[in-house]
Amino acid sequence: MTTLFIIIGVVLLILAVWLWLICPRIFHKADMSAFDGLIVAHRGMYEPELGIPENTMAAFRRAVENGYAIEMDVHLTADGVPVVSHDASLRRVYGVDTVIEESTFAELSSYAVPGTEEHLPTFRAFLDLVGGKVPLIIELKGTKKNVALVSAVKKELENYTGVYCIESFDPWLIAAVRREMPTVARGFLASRFFSDGQHGLPYFMSQCLLFNCKIRPDFIAYDKSGAGRLPLTLVCGMLGCRAVAWTVRTPEERDAAAPHFDTLICEHLDVLFPDGAKKFR
């Protein structure tokens, strides 16, 4: 009987530790109600076929004009300017093999997306364009060595009155958000990394949401194919965390993700929502 009690005690202890590791923010939660059922334009409402590249002022302007919330990405230049780009380099979008964090803004702003007049936007210019008209999901790009990005973004947001939240794949960046911007809604980006060929302890901890103990997120932005996974179901279904799906591109993906997520980050919005809907429920 003593052995049985010991086994039960060990199991309960392991369960308690696991729940502590994956637990989201419980007290003093940020208000995420503005994002409930929301359809969000991934990197702006971009369409390369129309000459509107991703994460450019043209893509953001189109999203605002159509009333769509926006997801976008922020890097920090070598001289401390927060700029809008998904990639760490300009190679894929701008055709220039230049690393953002190793270059000044003056250098970076001299390049345009081929075939367009779109230059690398600053985060400040992006905020001025949006002007609080639509909600924002701001993704921080960088590493734990670049937490200065959090301070730079915080400074730009000080007088911004629109609705926004902040997310990142990097738990150290979101931990910095937790310290420096405790009242702001924060989220952790995660994915089924093993299915993408990503291996190792950090990827395992990420997909199992074990970094939650460090960041205590208000929402989890998870790969749309992760619906139904135990950590996501427990954290978002039972512990009150919001679930955001990325990135929905087809009607089939939309229909599969909608029942499991509170917010959908989407592309090809004209196809997915031909009626112009801004919410999927």
Side-chain angles (χ1 to χ4, degrees):
M1 185 63 70
T2 301
T3 302
L4 178 60
F5 284 145
I6 292 175
I7 293 174
I8 293 174
V10 170
V11 170
L12 291 176
L13 178 61
I14 292 173
L15 180 61
V17 170
W18 180 56
L19 289 174
W20 177 80
L21 287 171
I22 68 172
C23 188
R25 173 151 50 171
I26 299 296
F27 303 106
H28 308 295
K29 289 185 178 182
D31 183 8
M32 290 285 295
S33 59
F35 293 90
D36 287 345
L38 205 62
I39 299 163
V40 182
H42 186 233
R43 306 179 196 171
M45 199 173 176
Y46 77 96
E47 288 294 344
E49 305 80 25
L50 300 177
I52 304 176
E54 67 181 59
N55 273 329
T56 60
M57 296 297 274
F60 301 139
R61 189 175 298 109
R62 185 170 181 239
V64 171
E65 289 173 351
N66 284 275
Y68 281 108
I70 298 171
E71 182 272 352
M72 42 73 72
D73 311 89
V74 187
H75 283 269
L76 196 65
T77 66
D79 53 342
V81 179
V83 295
V84 181
S85 172
H86 175 269
D87 299 355
S89 166
L90 298 188
R91 179 169 47 189
R92 179 177 62 86
V93 177
Y94 292 82
V96 182
D97 194 9
T98 300
V99 177
I100 292 174
E101 293 182 1
E102 298 175 358
S103 308
T104 66
F105 177 67
E107 294 171 316
L108 297 166
S109 62
S110 65
Y111 305 113
V113 179
T116 77
E117 297 182 358
E118 294 297 322
H119 295 262
L120 188 72
T122 64
F123 184 50
R124 177 74 265 158
F126 164 75
L127 293 177
D128 288 343
L129 171 68
V130 176
K133 297 180 183 71
V134 296
L136 305 176
I137 298 180
I138 302 166
E139 181 179 345
L140 303 184
K141 296 285 190 178
T143 68
K144 61 183 177 182
K145 298 178 182 178
N146 193 28
V147 293
L149 173 62
V150 175
S151 297
V153 167
K154 176 185 177 182
K155 183 177 180 180
E156 298 290 6
L157 288 168
E158 282 178 352
N159 297 316
Y160 185 75
T161 57
V163 174
Y164 65 90
C165 61
I166 297 177
E167 65 178 12
S168 182
F169 279 106
D170 192 309
W172 281 268
L173 286 177
I174 295 300
V177 172
R178 181 185 182 186
R179 291 193 305 271
E180 296 193 30
M181 309 168 71
T183 62
V184 171
R186 58 182 181 262
F188 184 56
L189 273 156
S191 174
R192 297 179 61 186
F193 284 109
F194 288 168
S195 64
D196 297 331
Q198 302 282 8
H199 301 283
L201 181 60
Y203 299 111
F204 172 78
M205 292 181 67
S206 175
Q207 72 168 352
C208 294
L209 308 182
L210 298 178
F211 285 117
N212 282 7
C213 63
K214 185 176 183 65
I215 61 182
R216 297 305 180 206
D218 297 292
F219 68 96
I220 301 295
Y222 210 95
D223 177 358
K224 61 186 178 296
S225 64
R229 291 181 62 81
L230 179 59
L232 186 65
T233 300
L234 184 59
V235 171
C236 296
M238 297 180 63
L239 297 179
C241 197
R242 295 296 206 282
V244 178
W246 60 269
T247 299
V248 176
R249 296 183 174 90
T250 68
E252 292 76 17
E253 292 174 349
R254 174 201 62 203
D255 295 342
H260 303 282
F261 291 91
D262 300 295
T263 307
L264 300 181
I265 298 175
C266 304
E267 294 181 355
H268 314 305
L269 296 172
D270 293 332
V271 174
L272 293 182
F273 305 98
D275 60 352
K278 306 304 181 291
K279 291 194 173 187
F280 63 95
R281 66 173 181 223

